[in-house]
């Protein structure tokens, strides 16, 4: 019998509580960057194993870590409660957690030029489990936030790892998930490639100090394009193929990463009554470069390709611009050229407070295609913020965002957002 929604969540909480009681806890006190050195060495190794198993945004070991009696099964439970308040002026968007440039309304009705919003939807919970910590460890990670309608939990991550292989739901391998600038905005720069998708991948490290890493994967195909009298949307059947190579230095705190992706997008030619495939591709260069040790760092990402608009998080699920109908051949579609990039700086005033600023630009081209007049042409995103760690559990932040959207016909609009945050991590 299918359990009701509330009962299912009570069952989940009860299960986690039972697990926490049944597994003996070991020292869990930590600072903002990891487990204290006063703890046992094997605990530090377990913290590193958990960090290796987690996405970049949850790389710090959780505050609550439990292990089995034989010390071969370890689970970390954690998350954060993030309460935000924001004030938009210009052409306000209706999303209090994600500042989407593509959602900025063009032609806003008079009288709606400002909006106040409160939210705790970007709060998150996660469980990070590993068996047999070390070289042959098996890992599993699952994480949720509450950005669904009416605070419905939404799967953020869910994958299994073993010896470089990974299967499940994660940020695309095309993206460098470690270069996203810190922000109260749950999305971040409009040109960031940080979409989540199901897939399988293999990654490995090599070199004398493991300074090189590389990977390749197969990911769920997704193609967004408009249907008309000459073209119909059909099911996708060929996986996207991302790959990367990365070089790091300065104890992996600085790196450069080159990524590529190959896509084959299927559509129906109604003129010839046949299915056709349009090939898309993309390249991305990203990195984090320390300028002043422990003080100032520079982050960046630049991407260009044909038919890759779905991989830019501002456009994913919001626009249909991977392919445009050809003006030369009715019934055929062309992969739309697109590029996007951002660059920013982070300055650490101390171990407790830091500030960052970044600029992002994203553009789609309609060369010899039948793009609609109100299709997205380009967007700009400016971010500046300041964060202060009140203690190892509580963080306060303040942020300003500017966004500008331009359509193919020249119509445009902009939005400004001032927001603040109080986040309790556990």
């Amino acid at each position: 019998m299918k359990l009701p929604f509330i009962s299912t969540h009570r069952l989940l909480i009860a299960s986690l509580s039972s697990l926490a009681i049944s597994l003996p806890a070991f020292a869990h006190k930590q600072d903002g960057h990891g487990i204290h050195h006063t703890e046992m060495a094997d605990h530090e190794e377990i913290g590193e194993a958990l960090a290796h198993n987690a996405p970049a945004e949850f790389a710090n070991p959780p505050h609550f870590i439990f292990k089995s009696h034989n010390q071969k099964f370890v689970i970390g439970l954690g998350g954060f409660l993030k309460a935000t308040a924001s004030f938009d002026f210009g052409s306000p968007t209706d999303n209090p957690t994600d500042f989407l440039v593509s959602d900025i309304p063009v032609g806003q009705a008079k009288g709606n030029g400002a909006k106040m919003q409160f939210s705790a939807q970007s709060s998150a919970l996660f469980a990070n489990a590993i068996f047999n910590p070390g070289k042959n460890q098996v890992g599993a990670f699952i994480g949720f936030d509450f950005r669904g309608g009416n605070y419905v939990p939404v799967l953020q991550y869910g994958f299994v790892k073993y010896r470089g292989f990974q299967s499940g739901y994660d940020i695309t391998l095309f993206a460098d998930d470690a270069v996203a600038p810190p922000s109260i905005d749950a999305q971040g720069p409009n040109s960031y490639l940080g979409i989540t998708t199901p897939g399988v991948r293999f990654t490995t490290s090599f070199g004398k100090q493991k300074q090189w890493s590389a990977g390749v994967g197969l990911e769920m195909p997704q193609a967004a394009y408009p249907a008309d009298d000459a073209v119909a949307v059909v099911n996708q059947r060929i996986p996207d193929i991302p790959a990367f190579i990365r070089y790091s230095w300065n104890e992996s705190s600085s790196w450069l990463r080159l990524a590529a992706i190959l896509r084959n997008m299927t559509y129906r030619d109604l003129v010839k009554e046949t299915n056709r495939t349009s090939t898309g591709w993309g390249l991305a260069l990203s990195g984090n470069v320390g300028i002043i040790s422990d003080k100032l760092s520079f982050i960046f990402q630049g991407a260009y390709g044909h038919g890759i608009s779905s991989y830019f998080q501002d456009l994913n699920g919001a626009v249909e611009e991977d392919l445009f109908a050809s003006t030369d051949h009715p019934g055929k579609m062309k992969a739309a050229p697109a590029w996007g990039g951002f660059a920013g700086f982070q300055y650490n005033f101390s171990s407790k407070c830091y500030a960052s600023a970044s600029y992002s630009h994203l553009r789609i081209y309609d060369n010899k295609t039948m793009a609609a007049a109100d299709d997205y042409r380009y967007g700009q995103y400016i971010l500046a913020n300041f964060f202060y760690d009140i203690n190892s559990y509580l963080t306060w932040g303040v942020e300003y965002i500017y966004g500008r959207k331009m359509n193919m016909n020249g119509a445009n609009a902009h939005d400004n957002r001032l927001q603040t945050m109080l986040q309790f991590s556990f």
Side-chain angles (χ1 to χ4, degrees):
M1 181 179 69
K2 186 177 180 180
L3 295 173
F5 179 78
I6 295 177
S7 298
T8 303
H9 284 72
R10 286 177 178 171
L11 181 62
L12 175 61
I13 293 171
S15 300
L16 291 176
S17 299
S18 300
L19 179 63
I21 292 172
S22 62
L23 294 174
F26 66 94
H28 59 266
K29 183 179 179 183
Q30 72 174 60
D31 58 22
H33 304 283
I35 299 175
H36 280 308
H37 295 293
T38 56
E39 298 171 357
M40 296 175 61
D42 64 325
H43 296 165
E44 294 182 357
E45 293 172 2
I46 288 173
E48 292 177 2
L50 287 169
H52 178 73
N53 190 56
E57 65 175 303
F58 295 116
N60 286 338
H63 289 279
F64 299 98
I65 303 175
F66 307 90
K67 65 181 180 180
S68 62
H69 290 287
N70 62 8
Q71 301 190 25
K72 287 191 174 183
F73 180 78
V74 179
I75 185 169
L77 304 177
F80 55 83
L81 176 62
K82 181 178 176 182
T84 64
S86 61
F87 181 78
D88 284 41
F89 54 98
S91 292
T93 70
D94 291 327
N95 193 325
T97 60
D98 301 291
F99 189 93
L100 295 162
V101 175
S102 61
D103 276 355
I104 296 175
V106 176
Q108 179 80 306
K110 291 184 178 180
N112 288 318
K115 187 170 187 175
M116 184 76 184
Q117 299 180 90
F118 294 90
S119 179
Q121 285 182 273
S122 52
S123 301
L125 296 171
F126 71 86
N128 185 359
I130 54 175
F131 172 74
N132 193 27
K135 182 179 179 181
N136 293 314
Q137 76 178 33
V138 179
F141 189 96
I142 188 167
F144 296 86
D145 61 25
F146 300 88
R147 286 151 72 188
N150 297 318
Y151 286 78
V152 171
V154 176
L155 182 67
Q156 201 178 6
Y157 301 97
F159 55 78
V160 177
K161 285 184 175 182
Y162 176 67
R163 292 182 65 89
F165 291 95
Q166 178 180 314
S167 177
Y169 188 68
D170 197 0
I171 292 177
T172 172
L173 200 65
F174 187 40
D176 186 348
D177 63 348
V179 297
S183 65
I184 298 174
D185 177 22
Q187 176 176 263
N190 61 333
S191 64
Y192 180 47
L193 298 168
I195 70 164
T196 48
T197 183
V200 296
R201 63 182 64 171
F202 175 76
T203 58
T204 186
S205 298
F206 53 96
K208 289 185 178 180
Q209 299 178 336
K210 302 295 184 182
Q211 71 272 30
W212 289 95
S213 59
V216 64
L218 298 174
E219 296 180 349
M220 178 75 76
Q222 49 183 312
Y225 54 88
D228 57 27
D229 293 338
V231 173
V233 177
V234 296
N235 296 330
Q236 298 303 302
R237 56 210 68 188
I238 305 173
D240 293 348
I241 306 174
F244 80 91
I245 186 167
R246 167 178 145 154
Y247 175 76
S248 61
W249 66 95
N250 194 21
E251 297 182 344
S252 297
S253 62
S254 296
W255 67 87
L256 291 175
R257 184 182 191 271
L258 179 64
I261 192 165
L262 179 66
R263 315 188 65 204
N264 286 284
M265 296 162 282
T266 305
Y267 62 92
R268 184 71 176 177
D269 180 347
L270 298 178
V271 176
K272 299 293 185 180
E273 287 297 330
T274 185
N275 283 3
R276 297 186 184 276
T277 299
S278 180
T279 299
W281 59 272
L283 295 172
L285 179 66
S286 59
N288 184 330
V289 181
I291 298 176
I292 301 176
S293 179
D294 298 326
K295 286 291 185 180
L296 182 63
S297 59
F298 172 68
I299 57 173
F300 71 94
Q301 174 212 279
Y304 176 81
H306 288 211
I308 62 169
S309 68
S310 287
Y311 276 83
F312 294 109
Q313 63 177 4
D314 193 56
L315 304 182
N316 182 263
V319 301
E320 299 175 333
E321 296 187 359
D322 284 328
L323 304 174
F324 284 140
S326 172
T327 57
D328 300 329
H329 304 282
K332 290 187 178 181
M333 304 200 82
K334 298 176 64 176
W339 72 270
F342 66 84
F345 293 91
Q346 178 175 322
Y347 185 81
N348 301 318
F349 296 97
S350 70
S351 61
K352 285 182 170 290
C353 61
Y354 59 94
S356 78
S358 57
Y359 171 79
S360 174
H361 190 100
L362 173 59
R363 183 179 291 263
I364 309 294
Y365 295 92
D366 64 336
N367 301 4
K368 294 185 178 181
T369 61
M370 299 172 62
D374 59 352
D375 278 343
Y376 182 103
R377 184 179 181 185
Y378 71 81
Q380 296 171 299
Y381 177 101
I382 298 174
L383 172 73
N385 50 38
F386 173 84
F387 295 93
Y388 176 69
D389 293 334
I390 299 172
N391 53 46
S392 60
Y393 298 92
L394 194 61
T395 301
W396 170 76
V398 62
E399 183 169 271
Y400 169 74
I401 305 174
Y402 170 82
R404 182 170 181 259
K405 172 187 175 182
M406 176 73 72
N407 289 339
M408 292 292 183
N409 61 3
N412 65 90
H414 71 275
D415 187 23
N416 301 270
R417 175 170 292 183
L418 290 170
Q419 59 185 349
T420 187
M421 167 203 85
L422 193 62
Q423 177 173 305
F424 178 77
S425 302
F426 54 90

